[in-house]
Amino acid sequence: MNTNIQPYDTISTPLGDCPIYTIHSYFTNKLGSFDCREKEQNDFIRRLAAGHYLAGINHTFLLICNNDLAGFVSFSSYSYAFAEGFLGKIREAIREEFNKKGLPHEFDVSFKKLPVILLGQLGIDKKYHGKGLGSSLVREFVIPYSLNYCTENSCIGILAYTRSAKDFYRKLGFQLVYEDKNGGANYFYSLYKNVLEIRYNTFSSKP
């Protein structure tokens, strides 16, 4: 490993501690051989990830275990039109948090589209399937990274679209918010209470 390239983070996985790197030209030779058995994810990481990162379309991170590309995840900014019923639940949950803290401040969510961080692509190489690596990547990196992103840049949670990994996301605490006729579904992981708590502590801190 080139010691001049510093990892963005290091997470604990069933394979031990594995560093996570922002996609970099140093890893280009590893991208072409990646295979998670999903055509869309394979095509993205092999052909599009670097270009999309450079163009500012998304931010791709690589999970490197034992000097091997074990997985990747890609994020981008997005606004999502929640169904009215689900949007109402978000409004009520935020109101409840405001009331708990006795906040005199007001908020108004009168529009359907709300800012989220889009978990655009996630893949684990087939060599590591069934080892819990994907769950570790989400719990140890995706959720903490997204919370920090939402706190700093303003969004209320993580949105993921999937056809083949519905059980995976459900087990990790994502909620189904939409299912299309083609078998795909949008799943949402709420972070708005966490964001409110962090921002409230900063907002209310003594100067």
Side-chain angles (χ1 to χ4, degrees):
M1 179 61 62
N2 188 335
T3 55
N4 292 325
I5 304 171
Q6 297 301 312
Y8 182 93
D9 197 1
T10 299
I11 65 170
S12 176
T13 79
L15 302 180
D17 290 344
C18 295
I20 290 178
Y21 292 87
T22 290
I23 192 168
H24 188 280
S25 61
Y26 176 80
F27 300 105
T28 302
N29 64 330
K30 297 181 184 295
L31 305 182
S33 59
F34 182 88
D35 183 8
C36 67
R37 295 199 177 107
E38 293 288 342
K39 184 180 184 304
E40 181 181 340
Q41 281 75 27
N42 285 343
D43 186 54
F44 174 80
I45 195 63
R46 295 171 185 173
R47 189 172 65 88
L48 299 172
H52 282 202
Y53 168 72
L54 291 170
I57 296 171
N58 57 36
H59 197 148
T60 296
F61 293 94
L62 308 178
L63 176 65
I64 306 295
C65 295
N66 301 319
N67 203 33
D68 189 26
L69 176 57
F72 76 92
V73 61
S74 178
F75 301 99
S76 58
S77 301
Y78 194 65
S79 60
Y80 182 70
F82 289 92
E84 182 57 36
F86 198 87
L87 187 60
K89 292 178 182 178
I90 293 174
R91 290 193 193 103
E92 288 308 311
I94 295 175
R95 276 197 193 92
E96 184 179 337
E97 293 301 310
F98 269 55
N99 291 337
K100 283 180 183 177
K101 292 176 170 55
L103 295 178
H105 312 286
E106 297 182 11
F107 76 97
D108 179 23
V109 181
S110 57
F111 41 87
K112 281 190 176 181
K113 285 192 174 183
L114 290 175
V116 295
I117 182 169
L118 180 66
L119 201 173
Q121 302 286 352
L122 186 151
I124 300 295
D125 194 279
K126 63 184 181 181
K127 297 191 296 291
Y128 303 104
H129 284 185
K131 299 183 183 297
L133 206 58
S135 297
S136 293
L137 180 58
V138 172
R139 290 194 183 101
E140 301 292 327
F141 179 70
V142 169
I143 293 173
Y145 173 85
S146 298
L147 176 56
N148 183 66
Y149 180 92
C150 286
T151 302
E152 294 294 325
N153 299 283
S154 299
C155 60
I156 65 166
I158 310 165
L159 188 75
Y161 178 82
T162 183
R163 289 190 181 91
S164 59
K166 296 176 184 178
D167 287 341
F168 172 76
Y169 285 109
R170 276 196 293 263
K171 290 176 182 177
L172 288 166
F174 285 71
Q175 299 172 273
L176 175 67
V177 292
Y178 177 76
E179 197 157 15
D180 62 33
K181 296 179 180 178
N182 299 317
N186 286 322
Y187 283 86
F188 176 69
Y189 189 94
S190 165
L191 291 170
Y192 47 83
K193 290 184 181 180
N194 309 74
V195 171
L196 193 157
E197 185 67 29
I198 293 169
R199 287 189 167 189
Y200 169 72
N201 290 336
T202 301
F203 178 80
S204 304
S205 61
K206 293 181 179 180

